[in-house]
Amino acid sequence: MNGGVLSQGLLPQLAFIVVVGITFCGAIIAVFHRNILYNVLGLALALCGVAGLYVFLGSLFIGLMQLLIYVGAICIAMVFAIMLSRPVHLPKPKRKVSKMATSIFAGLLILGVNVGVIYKTAWQPASERKLDWSVKTIGDFLLTRYVLVFEVISLVLLVAMLGAIIISRYNGRTS
Amino acid sequence: MKTLLFLPEIYYTVMALILFLLSVQKVANRRRTFLVAFGLASLGVFVTLFAVKMHGYLFYNAYKVDLFSQVFKFMLALGLFFVVAVCDNLGDISEREHAEFYLFLVTCTIGMMMLVSAVELLTFYIALELSSYSLYILVPLRRGVGFDKEAGVKYILIGATASAFLLFGMSLLFGVAHTTYLPELFKLFPSLITQPAGAVGLMLVLAGLFFKQAVFPFHFWAPDVYQGASNQVTTYIATASKVAAIAIVIRFVGLASQNNELLVKVLMVLSVASMTFGNLVAIIQKDIKRLLAYSSIAHAGYVLIGILTMDTTGFASAMFYALAYLIMNFSCFMVIVKVSPDGRNVWVKDLAGLHKRSPLLAMTLMLGLFGLAGIPPTVGFTGKFLVFLAAMQKGYLALVIIGMINATISLYYYLIIIKAAYLLEPDTDEIPPLKVGFGLKMLNYGLIAAIVLLGIAPSQLFDIAKAAASVLY
Amino acid sequence: MNNLTLYLLISAVLFSFGLVGVMMRRSLIAILVSIELMLNAASLNFMAFNKFLSPDTSIGQIYTLFIMGIAAAEAAIALSIFLALFRQLRSINIERARELRG
Amino acid sequence: MFTKDPILLACTVTVVLPFLSFLTIICYTRKWERVSCSISIGAILTSLLCAVYLFVATRHFTEPLQYRLPWVISGKTIIPFGFLVDHLSMLMLVIVAVIASLVQIYSLGYMAGDPGFSRYYACQSLFAWAMMTMTVAPSMIQFYIFWELVGLASYLLIGFYYEKWSASQAGKKAFVVTRIGDVGMFIGLVILLLYYGNLSIVDVNSAAVAKQIPVPLITISAILIFCGVIGKSAQFPLLTWLPDAMEGPTPVSALLHSATMVAAGVYMFARLFPFFAGSEQALQFALLIGTITMVLSSTMAMVARDIKQVWAYSTVSQLGYMVMALGAGGYFAGMFHLTTHAGFKALLFLCSGVFIHHYHTNDFFVMSRQGARNLKVPMVCMTIGALALSGVFPFSGFFSKESIMVALAHHPNKIWLAAGLFGEVLTAYYTFRLIFVMLFPKEIEDHGHHEEEHHEGESILYWLMGWPLIILASVTCVLGFFEKQFEHYLFADFILAHGMEHGAEAAQAGGHWLTITAIVLVLIGVAVAWLEYGRKGASQEGFLSRMPAIEKLFANRWYMDHFYRWALDMIIYSGFTNIFTRNDRRVIDGGIDGLCRGTEGSGRIASFLQSNMVQYNIFVMVAILGFVALSFLG
């Protein structure tokens, strides 16, 4: 569970660089590639990279969860949606330079803000730290402090499922 | 009994369960569904009223029940009751989806009730998403118009972006404060706000909340969604959801109540921009729901004036304004719903001859609009007055003046609607009188009385609001 | 790789990528992909703070877990609405959805 | 509490009854017209009785009596509601109640058969309630609230004939224009509240007298508050709404534009007079505005052909006189003129109402040709009113104008006096122009036979309209002789309350030459009118018709509306022509309509921010958020 094995030495550093590279490559493919199927695959790649980062951050559990839920469920759902709407065959109009420029400008602006925040803030670790990485603690928290959240998210998922069914239900009268 | 503290939420969850059971029945019966929903919603008002005086912590301090939250829960229950009361003719939602329609209204209400009580970031976030998702689903539920899906898409896109910002802001707050409990954050905040991560984090969180409240520049969804969603859903978004938004904005701005000048300045700019933008654009609208969407943006600006004073009086005035807004806006929307029995969108000119078709509805509409315009002695005037007074006590004179000028501008388009209802003659000769049933009549009388009486005698309510605002942390 | 700033920078870049995608892409599904990236950036932030600063190393993990759940719900709703729009417009190009104006 | 204090009881009854009547009519009795009008008239008559009782009961009171109930407590500020009973408010209360009662009775005849009969009476009650509550307000906040309500009620009444496009436009114009003034007033009040901390009328006045408020503060807030007067009392430069507001039913014009609503501005000026008097500049400003208004509107009246327009312009000019009087320090003169003017102007409007009702036209040249002078009662009454208006002895207007002239004469700068005297000539001229035209028509179309039939059917209605005329006419004849009592009544209060002797005794010593000059000038005016319109074979064309440029100038209201329009074009439209190509630019005459269009235009510009492209919207959102966050980085 502990990321300690990975935290020193040349090999781990190399591994880290690879993971970061995968993440960014995936993100770039997800955002900039013009084929929508590649976008989803890029997303899956980026998510795998992030899962690797989670492992570096000390939580194998969350990394696995990321793979299961995100890559295994969400990306597959998107692929289904693509299959249902067949956008791959639709004509692709040319990109507008102005739109690209404005959105990249906004992205850089937010990036600038974030970099500013990262470097200007004096990040201080908490005075007392409990370094407890066991899954059991997470489970404990889920059933004590976050029990309400735990219950409510089931409601959220129920609502989402019901809603998805109702909205996408084919209704003969429309169109 | 600690469980009793959770009574309103439990009640509405049970209500959701009952509606869920109704939704899986083979044969949909719109009348029965309506009656069940209506009965439960009206009972819910009393349940929340019963729970008003409760206070205490739940779920390991993640959930705080106090006067502030309970008053807002009461308002939310009232909002839900109002909306369900005008759902007897859901013209543009297919019959077999009625139960789900009510179900999503109720889950949204549950989400917002948890929202006003949550004092832990994750609880808060999940509650926020519960209410948002219910609304995302409700908007494209409409049938028969071409643009409901488009409105739904725009809503969820802007909403998801805003909530990503909110989440990012929360992560910054967590990183800089090491805690996720709002009361602890409140204690730490004077030092936190000097850190860029604290200030930017709060601003990003506020951005997500301003999205719910439709403050400029996070308002872009409002006109499209108001226009695209069915009349009843718009009513809900414009009343109950706005009330919850005001509550949570008060909660988060209250974090920084130790006079952070820059934050006040930013809020001032947003408030002025909201008022001016909303009022100016509202003038050229033809679709009433769209017009009221812009007016709601303007009203978000007025409420912000009260909130940015960052003291108990200001928060109390904003709370008062929230209730006033709930009542006045509902009055207008109720008339819109009733004028269009088949659920089509109402244009300003469609109101022509309303005073002949139904004098009572026309009267309610007029009072509601006068309230929104802030003309005495309606509750709208009192609300604006209290908000401006709170700002004046802080010396924000320019802000008050801009608010006043905006109120004058807003009068122009409210008068356009009133003129349509009272002074215009319909194009066609036959004007079928609108049937106003007994229940609706009572509702109308109640609204009229509330608009006028609360305007004339606001002091008791304002005292409650002050008491509620003083227990914020 | 063992300092906070590095992870925060990665997350900031991911967030900006997502943001650019949201504003630039025409395809609704691509926009949804970009939004997932933004959510992931926030998650990564939580995990990084969790590792280096937080008093209790479980909190950030729980946040990340729940964000995943929320993202799944969001994707479900968004995709269903996109599909409904697709049936109407025969396209998932967001620029085609421009009927509401004024 | 009520039983122990009959004055409080009477106040409450006076104020609450019309409101109850409004509610009853609007909720229950819309369908039964007779019930509606009985309720309304009964309420206003009871209020009148109570008002008279209060007037009598408090005539010897030396201290103003205040009843206050805290309405809202916010922070340190307490906003009270209640009644302020002193001589000034009681006088105004009686005036309002009398005029409102007479107008409502008169309306029985005038509005008979109108489809909106009940609605009309509901609005009348609403108006009476707002006006009377405003009159007795002890604090400026209450004053302001009901001031707005008065505006609202007037909007409903002016726009009453909603079938007419121009009527609803006029109602809107009146409402919006007065609100423009009100913004200034509200800001003035806010400034006063901020730096002085109290808006109680009595406190503000006594503090100003005791020099507890710094003079610059008084000047600024007084001038801003005066903006409210400019709006409501139709002073320059916002005077154009009042003539347009004549679109409402004539009794409404009588009520609103003679006695009550427009007088509210002057009343507020008088109410806060000690406060205004604390600043020399503020008074100068008022004097200037009043004078400009008076002269401008008199000239406009000289060329109008619509009978109601003439009276409307004359109202504006008389209001100008009142403001001049107050501005020159003549507190009593202003209030006295307000009182007399309320009587004779209501009389004039109600008389014109009879003619309009009878002949279905507003053009007095046409009326005259159709034999207007055959309607004896209104014709005689109108002549009495006209005599009073132009200030002929012994009618009430003579006395009040006289006292205004005296007040002006005491002002060190004599130019104001000259302007006032010049105004007298103009007033006499345009008044008698109308009277002579009505009395001595050039040719009479034969309608005599037709007349008789008409009379038979409508005689009850005719007399319902006639009696209020006769009452008002007799009041106009005798009111002037009560000048001394009047002065004593107002001044006893004033001096005791504020310890100011603002030329009270000096006014007595006005030279006889002034009286004589005034009378001569009036006679000149009348004579000119006689030469041109009255005498046999008169051309019935004013001397102005020989100067077409000036006539056009006057007829177009000195191009004020055009100027507003032009300014708006220059400022708002010129830069954005392209944007407005989508905008159907109908020809709009009014400047204020132009203002509304201007706002609409900026609405269109602002709506460009609201693109239908959702990603562009997200970009705006993110960019603004980004810049805000950058500012937080410091």
Side-chain angles (χ1 to χ4, degrees), chain A residues 36 94 99 129-130 168, chain C residues 26-27 54-55 61 87 95:
Chain A
I36 210 166
K94 283 190 89 171
K99 197 172 171 187
R129 302 198 60 199
K130 266 190 285 179
S168 55
Chain C
R26 290 196 183 91
S27 159
S54 153
Q61 301 187 51
R87 287 210 199 100
E95 288 178 1

Side-chain angles (χ1 to χ4, degrees), chain B residues 5 45 182-183 280 376 410 420:
Chain B
L5 293 179
V45 176
L182 291 184
L280 286 183
S410 73

Side-chain angles (χ1 to χ4, degrees), chain D residues 321-334:
Chain D
Y321 265 123
M322 295 173 211
V323 172
M324 281 171 83
L326 287 166
Y331 172 75
F332 157 72

Side-chain angles (χ1 to χ4, degrees), chain B residues 154 218-220 277 280 283 294 313 370 376 381 386 392-393 397 404 408 412 423 455-456 458-459 462 466, chain D residues 71-74 77 145 149 152 162 175 183 186-187 190 193-194 596 600 603 606 609-610 612 617 621 631:
Chain B
K154 288 184 174 175
F218 309 101
H219 65 275
F220 288 107
F277 174 83
L280 286 183
I283 289 174
Y294 285 108
T313 322
F370 277 148
F381 168 79
L386 289 172
M392 249 153 47
Q393 280 164 358
L397 184 63
M404 276 297 298
T408 309
Y412 182 76
L423 307 181
I456 294 172
S459 55
F462 191 54
K466 273 189 284 190
Chain D
W71 177 58
V72 173
I73 303 168
S74 166
T77 319
I145 290 176
L149 261 185
L152 173 64
Y162 48 76
F175 199 20
V183 172
F186 188 80
I187 295 170
V190 165
L193 181 63
L194 268 187
C596 296
E600 224 176 286
L609 269 177
Q610 182 81 24
N612 53 357
N617 294 342
M621 179 175 128
S631 71

Side-chain angles (χ1 to χ4, degrees), chain A residues 6 31 33 36 39 47 54 59 66 70 85 94 99 107 111 126 129-130 132-133 138 141 168 170, chain C residues 1 5 16 23-27 36 40 43 49-55 57 61-62 71 86-87 95:
Chain A
L6 293 165
V31 172
H33 201 280
I36 210 166
N39 290 148
L47 295 179
Y54 290 164
S59 179
Q66 168 99 352
Y70 257 120
S85 59
K94 283 190 89 171
K99 197 172 171 187
L111 185 66
R129 302 198 60 199
K130 266 190 285 179
D132 178 5
W133 291 93
I138 298 179
F141 265 111
S168 55
Y170 186 71
Chain C
M1 68 191 208
T5 321
S16 286
M23 280 182 280
M24 191 179 74
R25 299 304 305 270
R26 290 196 183 91
S27 159
E36 298 297 345
N40 252 277
S43 295
F49 289 129
N50 192 42
K51 161 102 177 170
F52 296 102
L53 306 176
S54 153
T57 47
Q61 301 187 51
I62 290 173
F86 169 74
R87 287 210 199 100
E95 288 178 1

Side-chain angles (χ1 to χ4, degrees), chain B residues 173 185-186 188-204 206 252-269 304 307-311 315 394 396, chain D residues 628-634:
Chain B
L173 281 183
L185 271 174
F186 177 70
L188 292 171
F189 225 84
S191 63
L192 287 190
I193 197 101
T194 55
Q195 297 278 350
V200 172
L202 181 66
M203 197 56 229
L204 293 184
L206 282 180
F252 270 87
V253 173
L255 280 181
S257 61
Q258 281 85 359
N259 276 334
N260 183 268
E261 286 208 5
L262 190 57
L263 185 66
V264 171
K265 258 185 210 147
V266 168
L267 293 185
M268 270 188 192
V269 171
L304 218 50
I307 294 176
L308 61 80
T309 59
M310 294 194 184
D311 59 6
F315 292 152
K394 283 272 178 169
Y396 302 143
Chain D
V628 167
L630 267 187
S631 71
F632 274 105
L633 286 178

Side-chain angles (χ1 to χ4, degrees), chain C residues 22 25 31 94 98 100-101, chain D residues 612-615 619 622:
Chain C
V22 167
R25 299 304 305 270
I31 293 175
I94 182 67
R98 53 199 301 179
L100 294 164
R101 56 157 72 212
Chain D
N612 53 357
M613 306 291 276
V614 64
Q615 286 170 316
F619 166 71
V622 170

Side-chain angles (χ1 to χ4, degrees), chain D residues 66-371:
Chain D
Q66 290 196 68
Y67 300 95
R68 306 207 292 182
L69 196 77
W71 177 58
V72 173
I73 303 168
S74 166
K76 284 160 289 177
T77 319
I78 299 171
I79 306 296
F81 256 59
F83 307 113
L84 168 62
V85 180
D86 68 352
H87 289 184
L88 183 63
S89 66
M90 286 306 111
L91 173 68
M92 190 70 187
L93 193 65
V94 170
I95 295 176
V96 173
V98 167
I99 303 284
S101 319
L102 289 176
V103 166
Q104 289 200 11
I105 294 170
Y106 174 92
S107 303
L108 281 178
Y110 191 87
M111 299 301 291
D114 194 282
F117 196 74
S118 290
R119 186 161 58 95
Y120 175 80
Y121 272 96
C123 294
Q124 283 275 2
S125 287
L126 179 69
F127 181 84
W129 170 61
M131 191 70 203
M132 296 205 284
T133 317
M134 188 196 83
T135 308
V136 293
S139 79
M140 283 313 288
I141 291 291
Q142 185 183 347
F143 199 96
Y144 177 77
I145 290 176
F146 285 92
W147 170 277
E148 289 287 314
L149 261 185
V150 167
L152 173 64
S154 74
Y155 165 71
L156 295 174
L157 283 170
I158 294 170
F160 184 75
Y161 285 142
Y162 48 76
E163 296 86 358
K164 272 162 79 179
W165 165 253
S166 55
S168 63
Q169 280 301 95
K172 203 158 83 181
K173 185 171 175 180
F175 199 20
V176 172
V177 171
T178 49
R179 291 265 317 191
I180 291 176
D182 293 348
V183 172
M185 172 173 165
F186 188 80
I187 295 170
L189 290 179
V190 165
I191 290 178
L192 194 59
L193 181 63
L194 268 187
Y195 294 99
Y196 176 63
N198 189 344
L199 281 183
S200 161
I201 290 172
V202 176
D203 292 353
V204 166
N205 279 345
S206 49
V209 172
K211 308 248 181 290
Q212 282 163 349
I213 309 179
V215 175
L217 174 60
I218 297 185
T219 311
I220 292 171
S221 51
I223 287 179
L224 282 171
I225 292 174
F226 189 73
C227 289
V229 181
I230 291 180
K232 196 130 267 176
S233 287
Q235 299 294 295
F236 177 82
L238 297 180
L239 58 84
T240 53
W241 69 265
L242 186 64
D244 286 6
M246 291 302 135
E247 294 285 352
T250 308
V252 170
S253 310
L255 178 65
L256 263 57
H257 308 122
S258 60
T260 53
M261 178 185 150
V262 292
V266 178
Y267 174 67
M268 180 178 75
F269 195 6
R271 189 78 272 189
L272 287 177
F273 183 72
F275 171 71
F276 276 90
S279 156
E280 199 55 43
Q281 283 91 343
L283 284 187
Q284 285 286 344
F285 180 69
L287 191 55
L288 177 70
I289 294 286
T291 312
I292 295 176
T293 312
M294 192 273 292
V295 174
L296 281 191
S297 53
S298 302
T299 57
M300 293 174 194
M302 284 160 64
V303 291
R305 288 179 68 94
D306 179 330
I307 183 165
K308 283 169 80 178
Q309 294 271 345
V310 174
W311 298 143
Y313 288 124
S314 88
T315 304
V316 178
S317 81
Q318 299 307 309
L319 290 168
Y321 265 123
M322 295 173 211
V323 172
M324 281 171 83
L326 287 166
Y331 172 75
F332 157 72
M335 272 317 283
F336 188 43
H337 194 56
L338 191 155
T339 314
T340 57
H341 174 258
F344 64 72
K345 189 49 66 67
L347 173 64
L348 286 171
F349 267 114
L350 294 182
C351 291
S352 338
V354 178
F355 291 118
I356 292 170
H357 195 69
H358 208 95
Y359 296 110
H360 304 289
T361 175
N362 277 8
D363 187 331
F364 59 83
F365 285 89
V366 177
M367 280 180 196
S368 149
R369 275 203 294 281
Q370 294 185 351

